[in-house]
Short mmCIF file of all heavy atoms in Angstrom, two decimals:
data_model
loop_
_atom_site.label_atom_id
_atom_site.label_comp_id
_atom_site.label_asym_id
_atom_site.label_seq_id
_atom_site.Cartn_x
_atom_site.Cartn_y
_atom_site.Cartn_z
N ASP A 55 -0.68 10.24 6.06
CA ASP A 55 -2.15 10.20 5.98
C ASP A 55 -2.75 11.46 5.39
O ASP A 55 -3.96 11.70 5.53
CB ASP A 55 -2.80 9.96 7.35
CG ASP A 55 -2.42 8.63 7.97
OD1 ASP A 55 -1.92 7.77 7.24
OD2 ASP A 55 -2.62 8.47 9.18
N ALA A 56 -1.98 12.29 4.74
CA ALA A 56 -2.50 13.52 4.13
C ALA A 56 -2.79 13.23 2.66
O ALA A 56 -2.07 13.67 1.76
CB ALA A 56 -1.50 14.66 4.29
N TYR A 57 -3.87 12.51 2.41
CA TYR A 57 -4.13 11.97 1.08
C TYR A 57 -4.49 13.03 0.03
O TYR A 57 -3.98 12.97 -1.09
CB TYR A 57 -5.20 10.88 1.16
CG TYR A 57 -4.87 9.83 2.19
CD1 TYR A 57 -5.80 9.46 3.15
CD2 TYR A 57 -3.61 9.23 2.22
CE1 TYR A 57 -5.50 8.51 4.10
CE2 TYR A 57 -3.29 8.29 3.18
CZ TYR A 57 -4.24 7.93 4.12
OH TYR A 57 -3.93 7.00 5.07
N PRO A 58 -5.35 14.01 0.34
CA PRO A 58 -5.63 15.03 -0.68
C PRO A 58 -4.38 15.78 -1.11
O PRO A 58 -4.22 16.11 -2.29
CB PRO A 58 -6.63 15.95 0.02
CG PRO A 58 -7.29 15.10 1.07
CD PRO A 58 -6.20 14.19 1.54
N GLU A 59 -3.49 16.03 -0.16
CA GLU A 59 -2.25 16.74 -0.47
C GLU A 59 -1.34 15.87 -1.34
O GLU A 59 -0.68 16.37 -2.27
CB GLU A 59 -1.53 17.14 0.82
CG GLU A 59 -2.23 18.24 1.60
CD GLU A 59 -3.35 17.73 2.51
OE1 GLU A 59 -3.64 16.52 2.48
OE2 GLU A 59 -3.93 18.56 3.24
N ALA A 60 -1.28 14.57 -1.05
CA ALA A 60 -0.49 13.66 -1.87
C ALA A 60 -1.04 13.63 -3.30
O ALA A 60 -0.27 13.69 -4.28
CB ALA A 60 -0.50 12.26 -1.27
N ILE A 61 -2.35 13.55 -3.43
CA ILE A 61 -2.97 13.54 -4.75
C ILE A 61 -2.63 14.81 -5.51
O ILE A 61 -2.29 14.77 -6.70
CB ILE A 61 -4.50 13.37 -4.62
CG1 ILE A 61 -4.83 11.95 -4.16
CG2 ILE A 61 -5.20 13.67 -5.94
CD1 ILE A 61 -6.29 11.75 -3.75
N ALA A 62 -2.72 15.94 -4.84
CA ALA A 62 -2.44 17.22 -5.50
C ALA A 62 -1.02 17.26 -6.06
O ALA A 62 -0.79 17.72 -7.20
CB ALA A 62 -2.67 18.37 -4.53
N ASP A 63 -0.05 16.79 -5.28
CA ASP A 63 1.34 16.80 -5.74
C ASP A 63 1.54 15.82 -6.90
O ASP A 63 2.21 16.15 -7.89
CB ASP A 63 2.28 16.46 -4.59
CG ASP A 63 2.58 17.66 -3.71
OD1 ASP A 63 2.19 18.79 -4.08
OD2 ASP A 63 3.19 17.47 -2.65
N PHE A 64 0.99 14.63 -6.79
CA PHE A 64 1.16 13.64 -7.85
C PHE A 64 0.46 14.09 -9.14
O PHE A 64 0.98 13.91 -10.24
CB PHE A 64 0.61 12.29 -7.40
CG PHE A 64 1.40 11.63 -6.31
CD1 PHE A 64 0.80 10.70 -5.46
CD2 PHE A 64 2.75 11.90 -6.11
CE1 PHE A 64 1.52 10.07 -4.45
CE2 PHE A 64 3.49 11.28 -5.11
CZ PHE A 64 2.87 10.36 -4.27
N GLU A 65 -0.73 14.67 -9.00
CA GLU A 65 -1.44 15.16 -10.20
C GLU A 65 -0.69 16.33 -10.84
O GLU A 65 -0.69 16.47 -12.07
CB GLU A 65 -2.86 15.55 -9.84
CG GLU A 65 -3.77 14.35 -9.57
CD GLU A 65 -5.20 14.76 -9.29
OE1 GLU A 65 -5.43 15.94 -8.94
OE2 GLU A 65 -6.10 13.89 -9.41
N LYS A 66 -0.06 17.16 -10.02
CA LYS A 66 0.72 18.26 -10.58
C LYS A 66 1.91 17.73 -11.36
O LYS A 66 2.27 18.27 -12.42
CB LYS A 66 1.19 19.21 -9.47
CG LYS A 66 1.89 20.46 -10.03
CD LYS A 66 2.21 21.47 -8.94
CE LYS A 66 2.88 22.71 -9.53
NZ LYS A 66 3.20 23.72 -8.48
N MET A 67 2.53 16.67 -10.86
CA MET A 67 3.62 16.04 -11.58
C MET A 67 3.18 15.64 -12.99
O MET A 67 3.88 15.87 -13.97
CB MET A 67 4.11 14.79 -10.84
CG MET A 67 4.86 15.03 -9.56
SD MET A 67 5.28 13.46 -8.75
CE MET A 67 6.38 12.72 -9.97
N ILE A 68 1.99 15.02 -13.06
CA ILE A 68 1.48 14.55 -14.34
C ILE A 68 1.10 15.71 -15.25
O ILE A 68 1.32 15.68 -16.47
CB ILE A 68 0.28 13.61 -14.11
CG1 ILE A 68 0.75 12.32 -13.43
CG2 ILE A 68 -0.44 13.29 -15.42
CD1 ILE A 68 -0.37 11.45 -12.90
N LYS A 69 0.55 16.76 -14.66
CA LYS A 69 0.21 17.94 -15.46
C LYS A 69 1.46 18.54 -16.08
O LYS A 69 1.46 18.98 -17.24
CB LYS A 69 -0.50 18.98 -14.58
CG LYS A 69 -0.99 20.19 -15.34
CD LYS A 69 -1.76 21.14 -14.43
CE LYS A 69 -2.27 22.36 -15.21
NZ LYS A 69 -3.04 23.29 -14.31
N LEU A 70 2.55 18.55 -15.32
CA LEU A 70 3.81 19.10 -15.82
C LEU A 70 4.48 18.16 -16.81
O LEU A 70 5.19 18.60 -17.71
CB LEU A 70 4.76 19.37 -14.65
CG LEU A 70 4.35 20.51 -13.71
CD1 LEU A 70 5.19 20.48 -12.43
CD2 LEU A 70 4.50 21.86 -14.41
N GLN A 71 4.26 16.84 -16.63
CA GLN A 71 4.89 15.85 -17.50
C GLN A 71 3.89 14.72 -17.76
O GLN A 71 3.89 13.71 -17.07
CB GLN A 71 6.18 15.31 -16.86
CG GLN A 71 6.98 14.42 -17.79
CD GLN A 71 8.30 13.98 -17.16
OE1 GLN A 71 8.81 14.63 -16.25
NE2 GLN A 71 8.86 12.89 -17.65
N PRO A 72 3.01 14.86 -18.74
CA PRO A 72 1.90 13.92 -18.96
C PRO A 72 2.32 12.47 -19.15
O PRO A 72 1.53 11.57 -18.83
CB PRO A 72 1.22 14.47 -20.22
CG PRO A 72 1.53 15.94 -20.19
CD PRO A 72 2.91 16.03 -19.64
N ASP A 73 3.53 12.22 -19.65
CA ASP A 73 3.92 10.83 -19.86
C ASP A 73 4.17 10.08 -18.55
O ASP A 73 4.39 8.86 -18.56
CB ASP A 73 5.15 10.73 -20.77
CG ASP A 73 6.39 11.38 -20.18
OD1 ASP A 73 6.30 12.00 -19.09
OD2 ASP A 73 7.46 11.28 -20.81
N LEU A 74 4.11 10.76 -17.42
CA LEU A 74 4.23 10.09 -16.12
C LEU A 74 2.92 9.42 -15.70
O LEU A 74 2.92 8.60 -14.77
CB LEU A 74 4.63 11.10 -15.03
CG LEU A 74 6.03 11.68 -15.10
CD1 LEU A 74 6.20 12.72 -13.99
CD2 LEU A 74 7.09 10.59 -14.96
N ASP A 75 1.82 9.75 -16.35
CA ASP A 75 0.51 9.29 -15.88
C ASP A 75 0.42 7.78 -15.77
O ASP A 75 0.12 7.23 -14.70
CB ASP A 75 -0.58 9.82 -16.83
CG ASP A 75 -1.98 9.53 -16.33
OD1 ASP A 75 -2.14 9.18 -15.14
OD2 ASP A 75 -2.93 9.68 -17.12
N ALA A 76 0.70 7.07 -16.84
CA ALA A 76 0.49 5.62 -16.85
C ALA A 76 1.37 4.89 -15.85
O ALA A 76 0.98 3.85 -15.31
CB ALA A 76 0.75 5.07 -18.26
N GLN A 77 2.54 5.43 -15.57
CA GLN A 77 3.46 4.75 -14.66
C GLN A 77 3.31 5.15 -13.20
O GLN A 77 4.01 4.65 -12.34
CB GLN A 77 4.90 4.98 -15.10
CG GLN A 77 5.31 6.45 -15.17
CD GLN A 77 6.66 6.65 -15.83
OE1 GLN A 77 7.70 6.36 -15.24
NE2 GLN A 77 6.65 7.13 -17.06
N HIS A 78 2.31 6.03 -12.92
CA HIS A 78 2.21 6.59 -11.57
C HIS A 78 1.29 5.75 -10.68
O HIS A 78 0.19 6.16 -10.33
CB HIS A 78 1.72 8.04 -11.64
CG HIS A 78 2.30 8.91 -10.56
ND1 HIS A 78 2.38 8.51 -9.24
CD2 HIS A 78 2.85 10.16 -10.61
CE1 HIS A 78 2.93 9.48 -8.53
NE2 HIS A 78 3.23 10.48 -9.34
N TRP A 79 1.78 4.56 -10.27
CA TRP A 79 1.00 3.70 -9.39
C TRP A 79 0.83 4.31 -8.00
O TRP A 79 -0.14 4.03 -7.30
CB TRP A 79 1.66 2.32 -9.27
CG TRP A 79 3.10 2.34 -8.84
CD1 TRP A 79 4.19 2.39 -9.66
CD2 TRP A 79 3.61 2.32 -7.50
NE1 TRP A 79 5.35 2.39 -8.91
CE2 TRP A 79 5.03 2.35 -7.59
CE3 TRP A 79 3.01 2.27 -6.24
CZ2 TRP A 79 5.85 2.34 -6.46
CZ3 TRP A 79 3.83 2.25 -5.11
CH2 TRP A 79 5.22 2.29 -5.23
N ARG A 80 1.74 5.20 -7.62
CA ARG A 80 1.62 5.84 -6.31
C ARG A 80 0.39 6.73 -6.24
O ARG A 80 -0.25 6.84 -5.18
CB ARG A 80 2.89 6.65 -6.01
CG ARG A 80 4.14 5.78 -5.84
CD ARG A 80 5.37 6.65 -5.68
NE ARG A 80 5.66 7.39 -6.90
CZ ARG A 80 6.30 8.56 -6.93
NH1 ARG A 80 6.69 9.15 -5.80
NH2 ARG A 80 6.52 9.17 -8.08
N LEU A 81 0.02 7.35 -7.36
CA LEU A 81 -1.22 8.12 -7.40
C LEU A 81 -2.41 7.20 -7.19
O LEU A 81 -3.38 7.57 -6.53
CB LEU A 81 -1.33 8.85 -8.74
CG LEU A 81 -2.62 9.64 -8.98
CD1 LEU A 81 -2.86 10.68 -7.89
CD2 LEU A 81 -2.59 10.31 -10.37
N GLY A 82 -2.34 5.98 -7.72
CA GLY A 82 -3.41 5.01 -7.48
C GLY A 82 -3.58 4.71 -6.01
O GLY A 82 -4.72 4.63 -5.51
N LEU A 83 -2.48 4.57 -5.28
CA LEU A 83 -2.57 4.35 -3.84
C LEU A 83 -3.18 5.55 -3.13
O LEU A 83 -4.02 5.39 -2.23
CB LEU A 83 -1.17 4.07 -3.27
CG LEU A 83 -0.50 2.76 -3.66
CD1 LEU A 83 0.92 2.70 -3.11
CD2 LEU A 83 -1.30 1.56 -3.14
N ALA A 84 -2.77 6.75 -3.52
CA ALA A 84 -3.31 7.96 -2.89
C ALA A 84 -4.82 8.05 -3.13
O ALA A 84 -5.58 8.38 -2.21
CB ALA A 84 -2.59 9.19 -3.42
#
Side-chain angles (χ1 to χ4, degrees):
D55 298 343
Y57 308 129
E59 290 84 356
I61 289 169
D63 278 351
F64 291 156
E65 287 183 341
K66 185 173 182 180
M67 289 176 64
I68 293 168
K69 185 177 181 179
L70 291 167
Q71 188 175 338
D73 63 355
L74 291 177
D75 187 14
Q77 58 190 286
H78 213 315
W79 54 269
R80 294 175 293 153
L81 176 57
L83 291 175

